[in-house]
Each structure stands twice: as C-alpha cells, then as structure tokens.
Amino acid sequence: MDNTISQQKSFLRSRMRAAARGLPREYFLAAGQAICRGAALLPAWQKAASVFCFVSTPWEPDTSLLLQLALQEGRKLALPRITGPGRMEAVIVEDLASLRPGPFGIPEPMGSETLEPSDIDFALVPCLAASPDGLRLGHGGGYYDRFLPFLGGEWAIACCRFQLQTEIPVLAHDCRASVVVTENGILL
C-alpha cells in the first residue's frame, strides 16, 4: 500500500513540476503577492509574534512581500536552513540581504540564532500540490513533514491555483494544514 502511494506521489510531483516550468515567472510573482496579502489577513498571522516562512524559488509563489512585511511589522521572522538529510531548523533573520544559497540553491539565513518550532506562532509552507482540505504534497525530502508536527502555532499552505488538486496521496506521517492560501482566496 505504501509503495503504491509513494508511486502516486512521485507521479504527481513530476506532473506538477512540469506544469510549474510551463508558467512564466511573472505568474509566480503575481500569485505570490496575492497569496502573501491573503496570508497577512489570517487571524493567526495578525496575532503572531513569531512567524516562519519559506523562501521561494522561481517556480513557487514569491514570498518576498510576506518576509518584508514580517520585518516591517516587528515580528520575529525565522526562515528554514537545512541541517542534514530531511532536517531543517528555523533561523531568525533581521535582514533579508544576509541570505545565501543553501544546498539546493535556495537562499538560507546565515545567522546563529534559531527558534524552536514550538515557539513559532504562524508558518507559511510551500507545496508542489495541495488539496482544498489542507493536505500537502511537498518536494519529497521530508523536511516539512519532520518539522511541522513540532510547530507551536497554526500553519498554512501557500498554493497556486494550478497546484490545487482534488485529492493528494498521503502516508501516515503527512500533516494537514488548517488553511490553504491561494491567489484566489483562502480555503479553510
């Protein structure tokens, strides 16, 4: 059973990566701005003192608006840094100019001050695909699957409309978000 689900996940990942590569960069910039504005309207964001957010790649919704907003509003902002296979930590940042490419070429914080997942009030996480009811398909490294169960607050999925899928294949360790934020609105 798990092998069949893993194969379904692999197939869906390939399909979604190909779909993303077929879209212009401008789409991800515009979708990202709309998703960031939507995330900033969430009650969990508005009451959060500490936030965690992914740093987007060119084929993901651009999160720079939300990162800048967190810093402007005086929130403690933590970004992911890979520490080993399937493992990441939340590193506090005060200046986005200090980010440097990590193992996968994704900008990562270089600082030494970290935030425990249990101390994070709100997180916005990436996906390759998501279902309207909060199931998420990631890139397959397990980084978020290992991190999210320890999160202290609420988390949401940043999902472009083309990434929305009726069903997502899941395994026992897969987490469900309470909110999916798309460029067309918020799905609860």
Side-chain angles (χ1 to χ4, degrees), residues 66-77:
L66 198 64
L67 303 180
Q68 293 165 0
L69 183 63
L71 294 173
Q72 290 169 358
E73 292 178 344
R75 299 176 199 277
K76 188 177 287 187
L77 174 63

Side-chain angles (χ1 to χ4, degrees), residues 26-184:
E26 294 76 24
Y27 168 76
F28 294 99
L29 293 170
Q33 288 182 354
I35 288 168
C36 290
R37 284 192 298 272
L41 295 175
L42 293 171
W45 168 272
Q46 292 176 356
K47 67 181 180 183
S50 59
V51 297
F52 176 82
C53 186
F54 69 102
V55 179
S56 52
T57 67
W59 310 113
E60 293 176 316
D62 189 314
T63 56
S64 59
L65 179 66
L66 198 64
L67 303 180
Q68 293 165 0
L69 183 63
L71 294 173
Q72 290 169 358
E73 292 178 344
R75 299 176 199 277
K76 188 177 287 187
L77 174 63
L79 303 176
R81 178 170 60 200
I82 293 174
T83 59
R87 304 272 179 216
M88 66 181 181
E89 63 185 352
V91 180
I92 297 171
V93 298
E94 295 177 2
D95 182 3
L96 298 175
S98 67
L99 303 181
R100 299 291 176 262
F104 297 110
I106 301 168
E108 291 186 348
M110 296 294 109
S112 58
E113 188 178 1
T114 60
L115 190 61
E116 290 298 319
S118 59
D119 293 330
I120 295 170
D121 298 323
F122 176 79
L124 184 67
V125 304
C127 72
L128 277 174
S131 64
D133 63 348
L135 292 173
R136 171 187 172 275
L137 179 72
H139 289 271
Y143 294 93
Y144 286 91
D145 291 326
R146 289 180 181 90
F147 186 84
L148 291 170
F150 300 100
L151 207 64
E154 189 175 326
W155 61 281
I157 301 170
C159 180
C160 294
R161 69 178 166 258
F162 80 92
Q163 296 173 308
L164 268 179
Q165 301 292 305
T166 306
E167 292 183 27
I168 298 292
V170 294
L171 294 168
H173 65 266
D174 291 323
C175 302
R176 184 185 301 267
S178 55
V179 179
V180 178
V181 186
T182 76
E183 69 264 43
N184 293 341

Side-chain angles (χ1 to χ4, degrees), residues 5-38:
I5 293 172
S6 293
Q7 289 173 347
Q8 291 171 346
K9 285 183 167 201
S10 181
F11 175 77
L12 185 55
R13 282 188 184 102
S14 295
R15 202 176 93 218
M16 298 313 294
R17 284 185 182 114
R21 299 268 188 248
L23 294 168
R25 176 70 183 130
E26 294 76 24
Y27 168 76
F28 294 99
L29 293 170
Q33 288 182 354
I35 288 168
C36 290
R37 284 192 298 272

